[in-house]
Amino acid sequence: MIKIGKPVPVIIGFLLLLFGFTHEAVSQDLSVEATVSETKIFIGEQFSLSVSVESSSQHSLDLPQIPNFNGARVISGTPSRSTRTSIINGRTTRSTTYTYTLLAERKGNFTIPSIAVRVDGETRQTNSIPIEIIEKGNLSSEGESQLPDIFVRVEVDEERPVVGQQIVASIVLYFKQNIEVTSFQPSFGWRTDGFWKEELENISQPRAESTILNGVRYRKATLLRYALFPSRSGELSLSEYGLTAGIRSQVNRNDPFGSFFGSGTNQRRVTLNSEQIDLTIRQLPPRDNALWMNAVGDFTIERTLNTSEIRSGDSIELITTIKGAGNIPLINRPNYSLPDAFDQFNPRESSDVGRRGLTIQGSKTFTELLVSRAPGTYEIPEERIAVYNPSSRRYNYKTLPAISFEVLPAPAQLAGSGGAQSFSLQPVTGLATWYSGEPKPFYNTLWFWIFLTLPIIAMAIAYWKKHQTDKLLSDRDYQRSHYSYQTAKERLHEARNHFTENNTKQVYHKLHKAITGFISDKLALPEAGLSDRELIQAVEGRSINGEITAPLKHLLDKCNTISYAPVGSKDDISDDIEKTEKLINDLKKKL
Amino acid sequence: MIKKLGALFFLLSIILPGLISAQQTKFDIANEYLTDREYRQALSIYHEIAAEDYHSGALWLNMGIAYTRLDSLGKAKFYFLKAKNYPETGDLASESLIYIEDRLSRRSAVLPPLPWQQFLDWQAESFGIRGLVITALFLFIMASGFFIGSWFYREKSTLLLRTGTGTLLFSLFFFTCSLIIHYQNQRFGTGVVVERQNQFYSSPDPESATISTAYEGYQLSVDYKMSEDYEDWFYIRTENGQYGWIPRDAVMVF
């Protein structure tokens, strides 16, 4: 037999423990709450005070007693009572609400004190509620008339954001107490130029709440919310927001917290437009030297590689993940300094954007696909990334550490891709032919100018020679002049021959011919018929001084008179030949 | 004097081969790196040689090969185009260029050049400016001889004059061609896009209208005269006949 100890005390203890837990659970499950229909009330206006008891099980309730307090009084001591039972996910909730009607009596700020509620004989206390009672109608009728019975407004939570900062634009519908909105339909074409717009998903069903505008009680309901991200600085505008609403003039006054969409008759549709909103978008403040991805918000950034070792030709993924709240849709791809030896393909970009609540939050991932071509050890260098946090109005700098990885040679790797045009590039080794500097332009070289000018010079000389030849052939005077000296020399030579033969008369005859022939040829005078005097005059007419004309006269006279004079010595004749030669040379220089 | 000249000749005979062999030694070391697949080290030395104003077809060809190995095909094409201009590496460079063109992911449409430009290109490639100028001078000397002969050898004067005139016209033609090619070489450079892709614009301003996109390996004609006033931009003509402005960083030019 197995002994189990003393069973009775154990069972009692277990039951007590179970009761204690159950009691504690019930206590925690029960809630008592007091609410008012409006917290800002006109003097003389009625408003409701509700006391609700909510629990998952049934309880015995006593009628709550409203204590006296300043500013308002309870009109009816017997409240209306309503009960509600709901089952959500298998959990049953029972709610009992007592609603009292109160009348505001005095102006001022007051507090509805905590209300005692007896539940199953146990006293529970509600929360106290501050209320403000104000005078009605102290605004001018003109001020009241400025606001229509129903209108729509775009309300932004920040009027001077920086570029990229999220602002929330709420589409709020205001309508008077006697109007009930049954439906609404936003118009298309709300222009938000200069903004990135995302619709927030926080409003499942709009609920109306009471408010006072220009001394008039209105109800207001936030219909839609948008997250807007300005993309540039300066003055930007949100255009009029258009809305079509179905309204009814009946109001269920007994249920100020009732459904926004009521039921009834006399329904009509109205088209509403908000006013344009002008915003001043500030520039981002200057930042330190860091990579800028256009990230404005509260973000964390991580950067990883999908592997640390690949084969040449394989791809590696560099993954950058940005998480947090802010302008996620507007964040740009980080422009890293990557090693040259990689093909970069268009990066993949994925984002998971959450639109619930009042902020855009989520994550964005950039996957850079790098294909290696050369083996080696590579490092993606450290990067410092700047993120602007509009809450703190400062940049947060995140340093992404350097990442190293190894690229191993691919089997039988050569530069070729292995395709049909595969070609093995072989480097040139050994002695190379070296050149230094750039070659001079051809027109800066000596050989060019030499070979260019030589033919020109040759042609110039040849042309001159041709011209001379042509003249000799065509111009008799020029020909005589050109050959005059040569003819004179020949005659002198003949004179010398006669001298050796002792033929004195022929010597002087040839000397005379040499002189007169030279002068007449040189001066283009007639070849015959001129006297010596005329020749001398022609020479004198060329401004030749007496040093030449004197020996000329002397020699010509001697040549003419030698037939009648006694024959001179051989020395005299030789001397005359030399004098004649000298005279002809002098005349050649002067004529 | 003779002693001084002898000493100078001796010094030069020692120093000059040393200076020349310094480039060759570096080149050999770089080639070893290239063979060992240490492409970056090899390129570093090749660039060092080029920075010292030494060049050779082998240097450019090996640089092209190194960049091919690193898959920087734009730069590879650039150096192969340079190597193509050297007789010792022209054929190898041409084969390499065919290979590079095959590997480039994007190729530009090529507008055929005008006939006269084709003729000039053919002349430049076949003779070069120096060859054209020498031919022109040779013909000019011949023409001079014919003219001189016509002046003095009257029996064949007409024949010689006509031959001389024809030869002179040929000489002027070749000389004009060499001048045009020289002008084109001075004004226009050959550029290759070395970035993966880059847009080119209607004016030297990134905010101006985009003409088109030039991808890595696109060959361009760069207008130096038009570009001289802009530090960061080149005025270019693409092979398909489009004109525009491209950032200088995106292009390598020779």
Short mmCIF file of all heavy atoms in Angstrom, two decimals, chain A residues 341-343 373 413 415-416 421 423 425-428 430 432-437 443 452 455 459 462 466 470, chain B residues 24 31 34 37 40 53-56 61-62 65 68-69 71 96 99 102-103 140-141 144 148 151-152 154 182 196:
data_model
loop_
_atom_site.label_atom_id
_atom_site.label_comp_id
_atom_site.label_asym_id
_atom_site.label_seq_id
_atom_site.Cartn_x
_atom_site.Cartn_y
_atom_site.Cartn_z
N ALA A 341 36.47 45.71 -58.24
CA ALA A 341 36.50 44.41 -58.93
C ALA A 341 35.16 43.70 -58.90
O ALA A 341 35.11 42.48 -58.96
CB ALA A 341 37.57 43.55 -58.28
N PHE A 342 34.09 44.45 -58.80
CA PHE A 342 32.79 43.82 -58.71
C PHE A 342 31.83 44.43 -59.71
O PHE A 342 31.83 45.63 -59.93
CB PHE A 342 32.21 43.98 -57.30
CG PHE A 342 32.88 43.12 -56.29
CD1 PHE A 342 34.03 43.54 -55.67
CD2 PHE A 342 32.40 41.86 -56.01
CE1 PHE A 342 34.68 42.74 -54.77
CE2 PHE A 342 33.05 41.04 -55.11
CZ PHE A 342 34.19 41.48 -54.49
N ASP A 343 31.03 43.56 -60.28
CA ASP A 343 29.90 44.04 -61.06
C ASP A 343 28.79 44.35 -60.07
O ASP A 343 28.48 43.53 -59.21
CB ASP A 343 29.40 42.94 -62.00
CG ASP A 343 30.09 43.04 -63.34
OD1 ASP A 343 30.62 44.11 -63.64
OD2 ASP A 343 30.08 42.04 -64.07
N ARG A 373 34.84 39.28 -59.85
CA ARG A 373 35.54 38.85 -61.06
C ARG A 373 36.98 38.44 -60.79
O ARG A 373 37.58 37.74 -61.60
CB ARG A 373 35.52 39.97 -62.10
CG ARG A 373 34.16 40.24 -62.68
CD ARG A 373 33.69 39.07 -63.49
NE ARG A 373 32.37 39.29 -64.06
CZ ARG A 373 31.57 38.33 -64.48
NH1 ARG A 373 31.95 37.07 -64.37
NH2 ARG A 373 30.40 38.60 -64.98
N GLN A 413 40.20 29.42 -63.83
CA GLN A 413 39.75 30.77 -64.18
C GLN A 413 40.74 31.47 -65.10
O GLN A 413 41.92 31.49 -64.86
CB GLN A 413 39.59 31.60 -62.92
CG GLN A 413 39.04 32.96 -63.24
CD GLN A 413 39.25 33.92 -62.10
OE1 GLN A 413 40.13 33.74 -61.28
NE2 GLN A 413 38.44 34.95 -62.07
N ALA A 415 40.52 35.03 -67.90
CA ALA A 415 39.64 36.19 -68.10
C ALA A 415 38.42 35.85 -68.90
O ALA A 415 37.40 36.48 -68.80
CB ALA A 415 40.41 37.29 -68.79
N GLY A 416 38.52 34.85 -69.75
CA GLY A 416 37.40 34.54 -70.63
C GLY A 416 36.19 34.11 -69.86
O GLY A 416 36.27 33.52 -68.80
N GLN A 421 33.06 33.17 -77.71
CA GLN A 421 34.15 34.06 -78.09
C GLN A 421 35.29 34.03 -77.07
O GLN A 421 36.06 34.96 -76.98
CB GLN A 421 33.61 35.49 -78.21
CG GLN A 421 32.62 35.69 -79.33
CD GLN A 421 33.25 35.55 -80.68
OE1 GLN A 421 34.35 36.03 -80.89
NE2 GLN A 421 32.58 34.89 -81.59
N PHE A 423 38.56 33.87 -75.22
CA PHE A 423 39.84 34.25 -75.78
C PHE A 423 40.82 34.42 -74.64
O PHE A 423 40.56 35.13 -73.69
CB PHE A 423 39.65 35.55 -76.55
CG PHE A 423 40.93 36.16 -77.02
CD1 PHE A 423 41.68 35.51 -77.97
CD2 PHE A 423 41.36 37.37 -76.52
CE1 PHE A 423 42.86 36.08 -78.42
CE2 PHE A 423 42.53 37.93 -76.97
CZ PHE A 423 43.28 37.29 -77.92
N LEU A 425 43.76 36.01 -73.08
CA LEU A 425 44.60 37.18 -73.24
C LEU A 425 45.96 36.89 -72.62
O LEU A 425 46.04 36.63 -71.43
CB LEU A 425 43.96 38.39 -72.57
CG LEU A 425 42.60 38.80 -73.09
CD1 LEU A 425 42.03 39.90 -72.24
CD2 LEU A 425 42.71 39.27 -74.52
N GLN A 426 46.98 36.95 -73.40
CA GLN A 426 48.32 36.68 -72.90
C GLN A 426 49.10 37.98 -72.83
O GLN A 426 49.20 38.70 -73.83
CB GLN A 426 49.04 35.70 -73.82
CG GLN A 426 48.43 34.32 -73.84
CD GLN A 426 48.42 33.67 -72.46
OE1 GLN A 426 49.32 33.87 -71.65
NE2 GLN A 426 47.37 32.91 -72.18
N PRO A 427 49.67 38.30 -71.68
CA PRO A 427 50.43 39.54 -71.58
C PRO A 427 51.72 39.48 -72.39
O PRO A 427 52.26 38.40 -72.64
CB PRO A 427 50.72 39.65 -70.08
CG PRO A 427 50.56 38.29 -69.54
CD PRO A 427 49.59 37.58 -70.40
N VAL A 428 52.19 40.65 -72.78
CA VAL A 428 53.46 40.75 -73.50
C VAL A 428 54.56 40.88 -72.45
O VAL A 428 54.52 41.79 -71.62
CB VAL A 428 53.46 41.97 -74.43
CG1 VAL A 428 54.82 42.14 -75.08
CG2 VAL A 428 52.39 41.82 -75.49
N GLY A 430 58.97 40.36 -71.53
CA GLY A 430 60.27 40.54 -72.16
C GLY A 430 60.53 42.00 -72.48
O GLY A 430 59.88 42.89 -71.94
N ALA A 432 60.47 45.45 -74.03
CA ALA A 432 59.46 46.24 -74.74
C ALA A 432 60.14 47.41 -75.44
O ALA A 432 61.24 47.82 -75.07
CB ALA A 432 58.42 46.77 -73.75
N THR A 433 59.48 47.91 -76.46
CA THR A 433 59.99 49.12 -77.14
C THR A 433 59.44 50.32 -76.42
O THR A 433 58.22 50.50 -76.37
CB THR A 433 59.53 49.14 -78.60
OG1 THR A 433 59.87 47.89 -79.19
CG2 THR A 433 60.18 50.27 -79.37
N TRP A 434 60.34 51.11 -75.88
CA TRP A 434 59.89 52.23 -75.05
C TRP A 434 59.97 53.54 -75.81
O TRP A 434 60.90 53.76 -76.57
CB TRP A 434 60.74 52.33 -73.78
CG TRP A 434 60.50 51.18 -72.86
CD1 TRP A 434 61.31 50.12 -72.69
CD2 TRP A 434 59.36 50.97 -72.05
NE1 TRP A 434 60.76 49.23 -71.80
CE2 TRP A 434 59.54 49.73 -71.39
CE3 TRP A 434 58.19 51.67 -71.81
CZ2 TRP A 434 58.62 49.21 -70.51
CZ3 TRP A 434 57.26 51.15 -70.93
CH2 TRP A 434 57.48 49.93 -70.30
N TYR A 435 58.98 54.35 -75.58
CA TYR A 435 58.96 55.70 -76.13
C TYR A 435 58.81 56.66 -74.95
O TYR A 435 58.25 56.29 -73.93
CB TYR A 435 57.78 55.91 -77.09
CG TYR A 435 57.71 54.87 -78.19
CD1 TYR A 435 57.00 53.69 -78.01
CD2 TYR A 435 58.35 55.09 -79.41
CE1 TYR A 435 56.94 52.73 -79.01
CE2 TYR A 435 58.28 54.14 -80.41
CZ TYR A 435 57.58 52.97 -80.21
OH TYR A 435 57.51 52.03 -81.20
N SER A 436 59.32 57.85 -75.16
CA SER A 436 59.18 58.84 -74.09
C SER A 436 58.61 60.12 -74.66
O SER A 436 59.06 60.60 -75.69
CB SER A 436 60.54 59.12 -73.46
OG SER A 436 60.37 59.99 -72.38
N GLY A 437 57.65 60.64 -73.96
CA GLY A 437 57.03 61.88 -74.39
C GLY A 437 56.20 61.70 -75.65
O GLY A 437 56.16 60.62 -76.24
N TYR A 443 55.29 69.93 -88.18
CA TYR A 443 55.72 71.29 -88.51
C TYR A 443 56.70 71.86 -87.49
O TYR A 443 57.19 72.95 -87.65
CB TYR A 443 54.52 72.22 -88.67
CG TYR A 443 53.51 72.12 -87.56
CD1 TYR A 443 53.72 72.72 -86.34
CD2 TYR A 443 52.32 71.41 -87.75
CE1 TYR A 443 52.80 72.62 -85.32
CE2 TYR A 443 51.39 71.31 -86.75
CZ TYR A 443 51.63 71.91 -85.53
OH TYR A 443 50.72 71.80 -84.52
N LEU A 452 60.86 71.01 -97.39
CA LEU A 452 59.85 71.89 -97.99
C LEU A 452 60.51 73.04 -98.73
O LEU A 452 60.08 73.44 -99.83
CB LEU A 452 58.91 72.43 -96.91
CG LEU A 452 57.76 73.29 -97.41
CD1 LEU A 452 56.75 72.43 -98.18
CD2 LEU A 452 57.04 73.98 -96.26
N PRO A 455 63.13 72.35 -102.54
CA PRO A 455 62.58 72.43 -103.90
C PRO A 455 62.15 73.82 -104.30
O PRO A 455 62.25 74.21 -105.47
CB PRO A 455 61.37 71.48 -103.86
CG PRO A 455 61.35 70.85 -102.55
CD PRO A 455 62.37 71.44 -101.70
N MET A 459 63.62 75.65 -107.48
CA MET A 459 62.74 76.16 -108.53
C MET A 459 62.99 77.65 -108.77
O MET A 459 62.95 78.12 -109.92
CB MET A 459 61.27 75.92 -108.17
CG MET A 459 60.84 74.49 -108.46
SD MET A 459 59.06 74.34 -108.67
CE MET A 459 58.50 74.77 -107.08
N ALA A 462 66.14 77.90 -110.76
CA ALA A 462 65.91 77.40 -112.12
C ALA A 462 65.08 78.40 -112.91
O ALA A 462 65.33 78.62 -114.10
CB ALA A 462 65.21 76.05 -112.04
N LYS A 466 66.09 80.18 -116.32
CA LYS A 466 65.23 80.06 -117.51
C LYS A 466 64.91 81.44 -118.07
O LYS A 466 64.97 81.67 -119.29
CB LYS A 466 63.93 79.36 -117.12
CG LYS A 466 62.87 79.34 -118.21
CD LYS A 466 61.58 78.78 -117.65
CE LYS A 466 60.45 78.90 -118.67
NZ LYS A 466 60.01 80.26 -118.88
N ASP A 470 65.87 82.70 -121.78
CA ASP A 470 64.85 83.22 -122.70
C ASP A 470 65.22 84.61 -123.20
O ASP A 470 65.05 84.93 -124.39
CB ASP A 470 63.49 83.27 -122.00
CG ASP A 470 62.93 81.88 -121.78
OD1 ASP A 470 63.47 80.92 -122.37
OD2 ASP A 470 61.98 81.74 -120.97
N GLN B 24 62.15 49.13 -67.87
CA GLN B 24 62.02 47.73 -68.25
C GLN B 24 61.98 46.84 -67.00
O GLN B 24 61.21 45.89 -66.94
CB GLN B 24 63.20 47.34 -69.15
CG GLN B 24 63.13 45.93 -69.68
CD GLN B 24 61.92 45.68 -70.57
OE1 GLN B 24 61.59 46.50 -71.42
NE2 GLN B 24 61.25 44.56 -70.36
N ASN B 31 54.85 42.55 -64.72
CA ASN B 31 54.41 41.38 -65.50
C ASN B 31 54.34 40.13 -64.62
O ASN B 31 53.47 39.28 -64.80
CB ASN B 31 55.35 41.14 -66.67
CG ASN B 31 55.17 42.18 -67.75
OD1 ASN B 31 54.18 42.91 -67.75
ND2 ASN B 31 56.12 42.28 -68.66
N LEU B 34 51.26 40.30 -62.75
CA LEU B 34 50.15 39.99 -63.64
C LEU B 34 50.02 38.49 -63.84
O LEU B 34 48.91 37.94 -63.80
CB LEU B 34 50.38 40.70 -64.98
CG LEU B 34 49.25 40.62 -66.02
CD1 LEU B 34 48.00 41.30 -65.49
CD2 LEU B 34 49.67 41.29 -67.32
N ARG B 37 48.41 36.80 -60.99
CA ARG B 37 47.04 37.26 -60.77
C ARG B 37 46.92 38.32 -59.69
O ARG B 37 45.88 38.49 -59.08
CB ARG B 37 46.11 36.10 -60.44
CG ARG B 37 46.02 35.09 -61.56
CD ARG B 37 45.12 33.98 -61.19
NE ARG B 37 45.06 32.99 -62.26
CZ ARG B 37 44.43 31.84 -62.19
NH1 ARG B 37 43.78 31.52 -61.09
NH2 ARG B 37 44.43 31.01 -63.18
N ARG B 40 46.06 44.18 -59.14
CA ARG B 40 46.13 45.55 -58.64
C ARG B 40 47.58 46.00 -58.46
O ARG B 40 47.93 47.14 -58.79
CB ARG B 40 45.37 45.67 -57.32
CG ARG B 40 43.90 45.54 -57.53
CD ARG B 40 43.10 45.58 -56.26
NE ARG B 40 41.73 45.28 -56.61
CZ ARG B 40 40.91 46.12 -57.22
NH1 ARG B 40 41.31 47.34 -57.51
NH2 ARG B 40 39.68 45.77 -57.52
N ASP B 53 56.14 59.16 -67.93
CA ASP B 53 56.10 59.56 -69.33
C ASP B 53 56.76 58.55 -70.26
O ASP B 53 57.27 58.91 -71.32
CB ASP B 53 56.72 60.95 -69.51
CG ASP B 53 56.12 61.68 -70.71
OD1 ASP B 53 55.03 61.27 -71.14
OD2 ASP B 53 56.74 62.63 -71.21
N TYR B 54 56.79 57.31 -69.85
CA TYR B 54 57.25 56.24 -70.74
C TYR B 54 56.03 55.48 -71.22
O TYR B 54 55.11 55.24 -70.45
CB TYR B 54 58.20 55.29 -70.01
CG TYR B 54 59.57 55.87 -69.84
CD1 TYR B 54 59.92 56.53 -68.67
CD2 TYR B 54 60.51 55.76 -70.85
CE1 TYR B 54 61.18 57.07 -68.51
CE2 TYR B 54 61.77 56.31 -70.71
CZ TYR B 54 62.11 56.97 -69.53
OH TYR B 54 63.35 57.52 -69.39
N HIS B 55 56.06 55.10 -72.47
CA HIS B 55 54.93 54.33 -72.97
C HIS B 55 55.40 53.35 -74.03
O HIS B 55 56.45 53.55 -74.67
CB HIS B 55 53.84 55.26 -73.52
CG HIS B 55 54.31 56.24 -74.53
ND1 HIS B 55 54.20 56.04 -75.88
CD2 HIS B 55 54.91 57.45 -74.38
CE1 HIS B 55 54.70 57.08 -76.52
NE2 HIS B 55 55.15 57.96 -75.63
N SER B 56 54.65 52.33 -74.15
CA SER B 56 54.93 51.32 -75.18
C SER B 56 53.65 50.54 -75.41
O SER B 56 52.75 50.51 -74.56
CB SER B 56 56.05 50.39 -74.72
OG SER B 56 55.57 49.48 -73.78
N LEU B 61 48.97 47.26 -73.55
CA LEU B 61 48.30 45.98 -73.75
C LEU B 61 48.17 45.23 -72.43
O LEU B 61 47.10 44.69 -72.09
CB LEU B 61 49.06 45.13 -74.77
CG LEU B 61 48.32 43.87 -75.17
CD1 LEU B 61 47.39 44.16 -76.34
CD2 LEU B 61 49.26 42.75 -75.54
N ASN B 62 49.26 45.20 -71.67
CA ASN B 62 49.21 44.48 -70.38
C ASN B 62 48.27 45.16 -69.40
O ASN B 62 47.61 44.50 -68.59
CB ASN B 62 50.61 44.38 -69.79
CG ASN B 62 51.47 43.39 -70.56
OD1 ASN B 62 51.02 42.85 -71.57
ND2 ASN B 62 52.68 43.16 -70.13
N ILE B 65 44.93 44.01 -70.27
CA ILE B 65 44.70 42.64 -69.80
C ILE B 65 44.38 42.64 -68.31
O ILE B 65 43.46 41.96 -67.85
CB ILE B 65 45.93 41.77 -70.12
CG1 ILE B 65 46.03 41.57 -71.63
CG2 ILE B 65 45.85 40.43 -69.41
CD1 ILE B 65 47.31 40.92 -72.09
N THR B 68 41.00 43.78 -67.77
CA THR B 68 40.05 42.74 -68.19
C THR B 68 39.87 41.72 -67.08
O THR B 68 38.76 41.29 -66.78
CB THR B 68 40.57 42.04 -69.45
OG1 THR B 68 40.87 43.02 -70.43
CG2 THR B 68 39.53 41.09 -70.02
N ARG B 69 41.00 41.34 -66.47
CA ARG B 69 40.92 40.37 -65.37
C ARG B 69 40.10 40.92 -64.20
O ARG B 69 39.43 40.19 -63.51
CB ARG B 69 42.32 40.04 -64.86
CG ARG B 69 43.25 39.46 -65.90
CD ARG B 69 43.03 37.96 -66.04
NE ARG B 69 44.19 37.31 -66.57
CZ ARG B 69 44.40 37.04 -67.85
NH1 ARG B 69 43.49 37.38 -68.73
NH2 ARG B 69 45.49 36.44 -68.25
N ASP B 71 37.71 42.81 -64.55
CA ASP B 71 36.38 43.02 -65.10
C ASP B 71 36.02 44.49 -65.22
O ASP B 71 34.86 44.87 -65.16
CB ASP B 71 35.33 42.30 -64.26
CG ASP B 71 34.11 41.99 -65.10
OD1 ASP B 71 34.29 41.53 -66.24
OD2 ASP B 71 32.99 42.24 -64.64
N SER B 96 42.09 41.61 -78.91
CA SER B 96 41.58 41.82 -77.55
C SER B 96 40.34 42.69 -77.56
O SER B 96 39.41 42.47 -76.79
CB SER B 96 42.66 42.49 -76.69
OG SER B 96 43.85 41.76 -76.76
N TYR B 99 37.35 40.74 -78.37
CA TYR B 99 36.95 39.96 -77.20
C TYR B 99 36.22 40.84 -76.18
O TYR B 99 35.17 40.47 -75.63
CB TYR B 99 38.21 39.35 -76.58
CG TYR B 99 37.99 38.77 -75.22
CD1 TYR B 99 37.24 37.61 -75.06
CD2 TYR B 99 38.50 39.39 -74.08
CE1 TYR B 99 37.03 37.08 -73.80
CE2 TYR B 99 38.29 38.87 -72.83
CZ TYR B 99 37.55 37.72 -72.70
OH TYR B 99 37.32 37.21 -71.45
N ASP B 102 32.78 41.72 -77.19
CA ASP B 102 31.87 40.59 -77.01
C ASP B 102 31.39 40.48 -75.57
O ASP B 102 30.28 40.03 -75.30
CB ASP B 102 32.61 39.31 -77.42
CG ASP B 102 31.68 38.12 -77.36
OD1 ASP B 102 30.65 38.17 -78.02
OD2 ASP B 102 32.00 37.16 -76.64
N ARG B 103 32.24 40.90 -74.65
CA ARG B 103 31.89 40.76 -73.24
C ARG B 103 31.09 41.93 -72.69
O ARG B 103 30.48 41.82 -71.63
CB ARG B 103 33.15 40.59 -72.39
CG ARG B 103 33.74 39.20 -72.51
CD ARG B 103 34.76 38.97 -71.44
NE ARG B 103 34.19 39.13 -70.11
CZ ARG B 103 34.91 39.32 -69.01
NH1 ARG B 103 36.21 39.37 -69.09
NH2 ARG B 103 34.35 39.44 -67.84
N PHE B 140 56.24 66.64 -103.78
CA PHE B 140 56.52 68.06 -104.01
C PHE B 140 57.91 68.22 -104.66
O PHE B 140 58.08 69.01 -105.60
CB PHE B 140 56.46 68.80 -102.68
CG PHE B 140 56.67 70.28 -102.79
CD1 PHE B 140 55.91 71.05 -103.66
CD2 PHE B 140 57.63 70.92 -102.03
CE1 PHE B 140 56.10 72.41 -103.77
CE2 PHE B 140 57.84 72.28 -102.12
CZ PHE B 140 57.07 73.03 -102.99
N ILE B 141 58.87 67.45 -104.16
CA ILE B 141 60.22 67.51 -104.75
C ILE B 141 60.17 67.01 -106.20
O ILE B 141 60.77 67.60 -107.11
CB ILE B 141 61.19 66.67 -103.89
CG1 ILE B 141 61.41 67.36 -102.53
CG2 ILE B 141 62.53 66.49 -104.60
CD1 ILE B 141 62.10 66.51 -101.51
N SER B 144 58.68 69.62 -108.39
CA SER B 144 59.66 70.68 -108.64
C SER B 144 60.59 70.26 -109.76
O SER B 144 60.90 71.05 -110.67
CB SER B 144 60.48 70.95 -107.38
OG SER B 144 59.64 71.17 -106.30
N ILE B 148 61.10 72.15 -113.32
CA ILE B 148 62.42 72.64 -113.75
C ILE B 148 62.78 72.01 -115.11
O ILE B 148 63.28 72.69 -116.02
CB ILE B 148 63.48 72.31 -112.67
CG1 ILE B 148 63.22 73.16 -111.41
CG2 ILE B 148 64.89 72.57 -113.18
CD1 ILE B 148 64.02 72.76 -110.20
N TRP B 151 61.14 73.62 -117.99
CA TRP B 151 61.67 74.93 -118.39
C TRP B 151 62.90 74.81 -119.30
O TRP B 151 63.15 75.66 -120.12
CB TRP B 151 62.06 75.74 -117.13
CG TRP B 151 60.87 76.10 -116.29
CD1 TRP B 151 59.59 76.22 -116.70
CD2 TRP B 151 60.87 76.34 -114.88
NE1 TRP B 151 58.77 76.53 -115.66
CE2 TRP B 151 59.53 76.62 -114.49
CE3 TRP B 151 61.84 76.36 -113.89
CZ2 TRP B 151 59.16 76.90 -113.20
CZ3 TRP B 151 61.48 76.65 -112.60
CH2 TRP B 151 60.14 76.91 -112.24
N PHE B 152 63.65 73.74 -119.12
CA PHE B 152 64.91 73.64 -119.85
C PHE B 152 64.90 72.56 -120.93
O PHE B 152 65.67 72.62 -121.85
CB PHE B 152 66.06 73.36 -118.86
CG PHE B 152 66.25 74.50 -117.90
CD1 PHE B 152 65.77 74.44 -116.61
CD2 PHE B 152 66.92 75.65 -118.32
CE1 PHE B 152 65.94 75.49 -115.75
CE2 PHE B 152 67.09 76.71 -117.44
CZ PHE B 152 66.60 76.63 -116.17
N ARG B 154 62.96 71.64 -123.57
CA ARG B 154 61.83 72.21 -124.28
C ARG B 154 61.09 71.20 -125.15
O ARG B 154 59.89 71.36 -125.40
CB ARG B 154 62.29 73.39 -125.14
CG ARG B 154 62.76 74.55 -124.28
CD ARG B 154 63.19 75.74 -125.08
NE ARG B 154 63.66 76.79 -124.20
CZ ARG B 154 62.87 77.65 -123.58
NH1 ARG B 154 61.57 77.57 -123.74
NH2 ARG B 154 63.37 78.57 -122.78
N HIS B 182 45.75 65.90 -88.61
CA HIS B 182 46.44 66.52 -87.47
C HIS B 182 45.47 67.42 -86.69
O HIS B 182 45.43 67.36 -85.45
CB HIS B 182 47.62 67.34 -87.96
CG HIS B 182 48.31 68.09 -86.87
ND1 HIS B 182 49.07 67.46 -85.91
CD2 HIS B 182 48.33 69.41 -86.55
CE1 HIS B 182 49.54 68.37 -85.07
NE2 HIS B 182 49.10 69.56 -85.43
N ARG B 196 29.94 52.29 -65.01
CA ARG B 196 28.96 51.30 -65.47
C ARG B 196 27.93 51.94 -66.41
O ARG B 196 27.55 51.36 -67.40
CB ARG B 196 28.24 50.68 -64.27
CG ARG B 196 29.16 49.93 -63.34
CD ARG B 196 29.70 48.68 -63.96
NE ARG B 196 30.74 48.09 -63.11
CZ ARG B 196 31.53 47.12 -63.47
NH1 ARG B 196 31.46 46.62 -64.68
NH2 ARG B 196 32.45 46.64 -62.65
#
